[in-house]
Amino acid sequence: MVGVPRLKPELYEEGEEGAIWLSGGACECGHVFFPWQTFGCEVCGRHGADLHPRRLSGSGSIVASATVHLHAGKGRQAPFDVCVVKLDDGPVIRTLLASVGDPPQPGRAVRAVLVEVDGREPGERVRDMRFEVAA
Amino acid sequence: MRALGDLRPVYAIGVGWHPYRYATEEPYVTLGLTAVRQALADAGVEWPAVDAAFIGTALLGMASGRPMLRHLGATGLQLVHIENASASGSAAFRAACLEVASGMAETAVALGIDKVIPRPRTGSGLGGLAEDAFVAFTHFALLTNQYAARNGVSPEDVALVAVKNHGNGAKNPNAQRQKARTLDEVLGGKRISGTLTSLQCCPVGEGASAVILASEDAIRRLGVDTGRAIRVTASAVGSETVGAGNDADASLTRDVIARALAQAQIKGADLDVLEVHDAFTIEELLYAEAAGLCGEGQAIHLLKDGAFDIGGQCAVSPSGGLIAMGHPIGPTGVGQVAEVVTQLRGEAGARQHKGAKVGLAHMVGLGSVCYAHVLKRD
Ligand SMILES: [Zn+2]
């Protein structure tokens, strides 16, 4: 797996011992957000240099999950599983689960992992972030 | 901030539709003209008496109004187009209400109209992990899972919303789906996302709806039947706040409906008719609770007891709701108001909720934005 490029390197990185960090941010007011941006803080409106990059732990718990049986959009083949996760560091985010079928239910602890998937170009392989049940 | 009730009274005097239906090749112009002509005839007024037109459309694109409305007579009236996602029609209705209530116009028409024209949203510039995976029905499949886990409700329970609303739609000649469905049919349909099946998801087609509004002066001057004029007693609006999380549509709804009810000086339990944004079954349960018809997690019990049926404690989505009447986007919010007007007049025929005196129309739009309007029979 090492050496396979990340699909969205601006959104997540790989730390020591395989831990995945999300590239979030924090405002001077204390608000923590994902993804990283300098447009402005949703709580207080501070922007630019008042916002600081912050690595967010990939650990969290399931808020909601579902198996998508039929997808209305190109570039993604159903079935796949999706989840809403409350990160231990605060933000609520949504993305894909690593497994398909019988998704972990609300309250279950999950962690971010990188899994190898097809890239945007034919034959290309990349690693993208998913959530899986925490060991 | 001032409320609608602080301004002069405004009344709905005429309603009309072009039936909602699956996409056709027919130009939008004939859809819109059909709805406006029906509303004019219903009000008993002529087009030149209308001072302003507010057109709610999310998909028709720039300047669609004049090529349509000029065929009623190009009177030179004020013409405005309003886009607010699924709530485009509700936004047009509010603008029309405020124009009349403020005294800027004596009469106005809110026209909701759309065709099936896919239009991608402009990106914000921020990336997302897998945002393309979260189309509307998947967002609401997740909310279904969250609600079911919190309240111990089964997928079969949630599907009962669709059984009720398809039954109501079967009595509505303007509905896109006019066929009563059994629970087995709803549950046995195509699986879409999570536990949602196709008959629990609204169809997005084409159509039009129109409501004509007037001041008391205009009603007198135009000789409108005051017995059929229905007063708009509240208009409340809001958008999502920070930290609302995955549940933003319900928390926003709770806030906006509470403000509308306060303006109208009533409680949720006083509502006879409630038209909600039930694009997906779970939404009706969430919004019935948010409207104060019952406590959190209780909606399913009331639904099973028939409390939300026509003839029950409060008729919820007597039109068939978005699930059966359809959700052609622009027309939806205006059409809800037209349904409430029809119910409060006692003119809803086979789907009439007897003795209806006060009703509320609620929409959410992507963003999220939310609208609530209360109408009351004098
Ligand atoms: Zn801040």
Side-chain angles (χ1 to χ4, degrees):
Chain A
M1 290 259 284
V2 176
V4 178
R6 284 166 292 159
L7 180 65
K8 297 179 175 178
E10 72 283 9
L11 295 180
Y12 45 79
E13 59 184 270
E14 204 169 4
E16 307 76 39
E17 295 173 3
I20 305 305
W21 295 91
L22 284 88
S23 306
C27 176
E28 294 280 354
C29 76
H31 181 58
V32 178
F33 55 86
F34 176 85
W36 163 240
Q37 50 88 16
T38 55
F39 292 169
C41 171
E42 254 196 294
V43 171
C44 72
R46 285 190 181 87
H47 58 95
D50 285 339
L51 306 179
H52 311 287
R54 179 178 291 184
R55 292 198 318 179
L56 306 178
S57 160
S59 296
S61 60
I62 294 283
V63 173
S65 64
T67 299
V68 179
H69 307 286
L70 184 89
H71 183 55
K74 296 193 186 80
R76 201 170 288 283
Q77 196 65 42
F80 54 86
D81 282 8
V82 293
C83 59
V84 177
V85 171
K86 178 159 177 56
L87 296 176
D88 291 346
D89 283 341
V92 175
I93 66 170
R94 59 185 194 178
T95 190
L96 302 162
L97 282 154
S99 61
V100 179
D102 194 21
Q105 291 302 298
R108 194 77 190 270
V110 290
R111 61 172 187 159
V113 292
L114 293 185
V115 299
E116 197 171 317
V117 295
D118 285 336
R120 295 183 178 106
E121 305 300 324
E124 183 195 19
R125 294 295 281 176
V126 295
R127 289 183 301 158
D128 193 20
M129 202 201 88
R130 302 280 189 273
F131 278 100
E132 68 174 21
V133 173
Chain B
M1 284 211 294
R2 303 177 79 185
L4 191 65
D6 300 329
L7 307 175
R8 68 175 180 165
V10 55
Y11 291 84
I13 61 167
V15 300
W17 287 271
H18 183 289
Y20 303 170
R21 64 185 184 189
Y22 292 94
T24 71
E25 293 299 312
E26 189 167 357
Y28 76 88
V29 171
T30 55
L31 306 182
L33 292 174
T34 300
V36 176
R37 286 186 173 125
Q38 197 180 100
L40 288 167
D42 182 52
V45 302
E46 303 290 334
W47 177 243
V50 179
D51 296 336
F54 294 87
I55 301 161
T57 173
L59 303 171
L60 290 182
M62 188 159 51
S64 54
R66 215 189 85 84
M68 165 174 54
L69 296 180
R70 71 190 181 97
H71 298 290
L72 295 164
T75 60
L77 83 172
Q78 178 187 176
L79 200 56
V80 185
H81 303 77
I82 294 180
E83 186 277 312
N84 218 359
S86 288
S88 296
S90 309
F93 179 74
R94 176 177 160 93
C97 283
L98 296 183
E99 194 80 3
V100 173
S102 67
M104 301 294 279
E106 292 301 322
T107 57
V109 61
L111 168 61
I113 180 161
D114 262 318
K115 296 274 292 180
V116 180
I117 306 167
R119 288 190 188 275
R121 293 173 75 193
T122 304
S124 70
L126 289 186
L129 288 167
E131 278 305 300
D132 65 292
F134 293 84
V135 298
F137 55 64
T138 292
H139 171 62
F140 287 102
L142 287 161
L143 283 182
T144 306
N145 173 253
Q146 201 174 334
Y147 182 91
R150 197 168 59 224
N151 296 306
V153 167
S154 73
E156 290 75 15
D157 287 342
V158 177
L160 288 170
V161 171
V163 175
K164 172 179 68 69
N165 292 357
H166 283 283
N168 292 349
K171 297 171 184 157
N172 185 348
N174 293 309
Q176 185 165 342
R177 288 166 163 171
Q178 296 184 33
K179 193 172 174 192
R181 299 287 188 169
T182 64
L183 182 59
D184 283 347
E185 283 177 306
V186 171
L187 290 170
K190 192 185 286 178
R191 297 169 80 197
I192 304 292
S193 194
T195 55
L196 290 176
T197 51
S198 57
L199 290 173
Q200 298 184 65
C201 304
C202 65
V204 176
E206 65 180 30
S209 55
V211 175
I212 297 172
L213 294 155
S215 67
E216 287 177 319
D217 286 350
I219 287 172
R220 261 192 303 274
R221 178 166 48 83
L222 297 168
V224 171
D225 179 358
T226 53
R228 295 177 72 247
I230 301 294
R231 186 166 174 187
V232 187
T233 57
S235 174
V237 62
S239 68
E240 186 175 331
T241 53
V242 64
N246 197 45
D247 224 357
D249 300 315
S251 56
L252 174 59
T253 292
R254 189 169 300 115
D255 172 50
V256 169
I257 290 186
R259 282 190 278 125
L261 294 173
Q263 280 180 35
Q265 300 180 321
I266 57 170
K267 294 188 167 60
D270 296 329
L271 293 170
D272 299 309
V273 175
L274 176 62
E275 286 280 326
V276 294
H277 178 275
D278 62 329
F280 304 92
T281 39
I282 187 64
E283 290 188 272
E284 183 170 302
L285 301 176
L286 290 168
Y287 304 146
E289 292 171 8
L293 294 192
C294 58
E296 189 181 322
Q298 299 304 307
I300 199 71
H301 305 301
L302 272 76
L303 176 72
K304 283 180 171 175
D305 290 346
F308 298 162
D309 290 352
I310 293 167
Q313 170 197 318
C314 173
V316 182
S317 302
S319 68
L322 278 59
I323 287 172
M325 174 129 190
H327 183 24
I329 315 293
T332 312
V334 177
Q336 285 184 323
V337 171
E339 171 71 13
V340 171
V341 169
T342 305
Q343 290 283 345
L344 299 188
R345 285 170 166 177
E347 296 176 355
R351 62 180 196 286
Q352 179 65 45
H353 182 73
K354 284 203 180 63
K357 287 190 180 65
V358 58
L360 188 148
H362 155 269
M363 279 296 284
V364 293
L366 200 58
S368 298
V369 297
C370 182
Y371 285 78
H373 287 97
V374 177
L375 292 95
K376 188 171 179 295
R377 194 175 72 196
D378 273 346

